[in-house]
Amino acid sequence: MEISLIVATDENNGIGINGDQPAFISADLKRFKAITTGNTIVMGRKTFEALPKGALPNRRNIVISRRPDFSAPECEVISNPEDLKEKVRPDEKVFVIGGGEIYRIFFPLSDKIILTHIHHRFDEIDTWFPEISSEKWAVESKEGPFEDPKNGLHYSYINYRRK
Ligand SMILES: NC(=O)c1ccc[n+]([C@@H]2O[C@H](COP(=O)([O-])OP(=O)(O)OC[C@H]3O[C@@H](n4cnc5c(N)ncnc54)[C@H](OP(=O)(O)O)[C@@H]3O)[C@@H](O)[C@H]2O)c1
């Protein structure tokens, strides 16, 4: 099983404010859809609850929660991150889509990071992505910077592979 983390961070590794993302960049959302469609996505219960329409279509949705009574339409729920290994086939591509707690759990177990780096520092960040050290991660590709026409934010796509 290949595990990739897919995430958008700001200049300080910030990923969340008050249960929401600091910014939405529509080209990035389209890219997220293109990369994850047809594959398996794994998320924490809080990130799932922030999805406006629930499970993301045309993907296998796996939600992690300790709540024994938690269930959600079109989702599989696991109560222990360790159970992922038994759930997925070895040839399945797994994308961990957040949030902070779930990225931290899978960070040491992942092969790739698909990062959207937003060149901005947001105020009031309360959730962060782990630091990507150059000792452990090699930059595989870099695109950008681009500018979002709606909000003027500059962003780059950086793909990392574990060394
Ligand atoms: N910028 C980005 O790319 C991006 C992407 C995704 C999310 N985010 C942001 O990240 C923030 C949410 O992150 P978060 O850290 O607060 O929450 P989260 O990681 O989405 O979910 C946390 C929940 O996962 C479950 N969980 C965590 N560890 C577990 C374990 N070991 N075993 C079983 N269940 C476990 C628990 O659910 P229960 O409480 O149900 O037990 C916990 O409350 C939001 O602000 C969101 O917008 C940003």
Side-chain angles (χ1 to χ4, degrees), residues 21-89:
Q21 298 204 24
F24 289 98
I25 294 170
S26 80
D28 188 39
L29 294 175
K30 286 199 185 99
R31 181 174 183 260
F32 173 91
K33 184 176 173 189
I35 291 171
T36 57
T37 291
N39 296 303
T40 297
I41 53 174
V42 175
M43 71 199 99
R45 194 264 309 160
K46 291 185 184 169
T47 292
F48 171 75
E49 302 227 305
L51 295 175
K53 296 182 196 157
L56 297 181
N58 307 317
R59 279 149 275 194
R60 184 178 182 193
N61 286 242
I62 299 179
V63 180
I64 307 182
S65 171
R66 292 189 185 91
R67 296 185 180 176
D69 57 340
F70 181 77
S71 70
E74 311 294 324
C75 291
E76 295 163 64
V77 181
I78 57 174
S79 58
N80 184 339
E82 285 278 313
D83 296 346
L84 188 67
K85 287 196 289 285
E86 285 92 61
K87 276 253 166 204
V88 303
R89 299 182 313 270

Side-chain angles (χ1 to χ4, degrees), residues 101-117:
E101 290 184 36
I102 297 307
Y103 286 136
R104 274 198 298 282
I105 291 170
F106 286 100
F107 190 78
L109 309 171
S110 59
D111 309 292
K112 284 186 187 179
I113 301 170
I114 301 166
L115 175 75
T116 302
H117 180 85

Side-chain angles (χ1 to χ4, degrees), residues 122-138:
F122 292 93
D123 293 332
E124 294 166 23
I125 289 282
D126 57 21
T127 314
W128 288 265
F129 191 76
E131 197 191 328
I132 305 172
S133 89
S134 55
E135 280 166 24
K136 293 196 175 140
W137 294 92

